[in-house]
């Protein structure tokens, strides 16, 4: 798991956690788990770093935007500071 995270493979990391440690990233009270959300945000960053801007934007629209509406703290984490 550590090697996956260090190499920027967030999606594979989440799959590993879901399989072996699901309690770590379970949703509570209908809110996405903060750790899962942070890893999904990092997945977005990794996609940008790899030059997959179009894929990153699609990922953000499909995965991050719906989550950010659940909780104001999540939405503020997605804002770009000016």
């Amino acid at each position: 798991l550590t090697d996956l995270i260090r190499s920027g493979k967030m999606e594979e990391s989440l799959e590993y956690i879901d399989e072996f440690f699901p309690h770590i990233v379970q949703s509570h009270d209908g809110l996405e788990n903060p750790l899962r959300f942070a890893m999904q945000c990092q997945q977005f960053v990794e996609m940008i770093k790899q030059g997959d801007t179009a894929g990153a934007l699609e990922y953000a629209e499909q995965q991050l935007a719906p989550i950010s509406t659940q909780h104001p703290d999540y939405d503020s984490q997605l804002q770009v500071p000016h």
Side-chain angles (χ1 to χ4, degrees), residues 9 14 18 23 30 43 50 60 71 78:
K9 298 178 180 176
L14 281 169
D18 284 339
H23 61 282
Q43 175 64 25
Q50 294 171 4
H71 197 279
L78 295 177

Side-chain angles (χ1 to χ4, degrees), residues 16-75:
Y16 184 90
I17 291 170
D18 284 339
E19 184 175 344
F20 296 104
F21 308 102
H23 61 282
I24 293 176
V25 292
Q26 284 178 333
S27 299
H28 297 284
D29 300 325
L31 293 176
E32 188 73 20
N33 180 286
L35 175 60
R36 177 178 289 280
F37 183 69
M39 291 179 77
Q40 289 173 314
C41 288
Q42 187 61 37
Q43 175 64 25
F44 170 78
V45 170
E46 296 298 330
M47 293 173 82
I48 296 288
K49 285 169 57 176
Q50 294 171 4
D52 186 9
T53 306
L57 291 175
E58 184 177 335
Y59 182 83
E61 289 174 352
Q62 293 178 357
Q63 300 296 322
L64 299 177
I67 296 168
S68 72
T69 62
Q70 294 179 2
H71 197 279
D73 288 343
Y74 292 166
D75 187 53

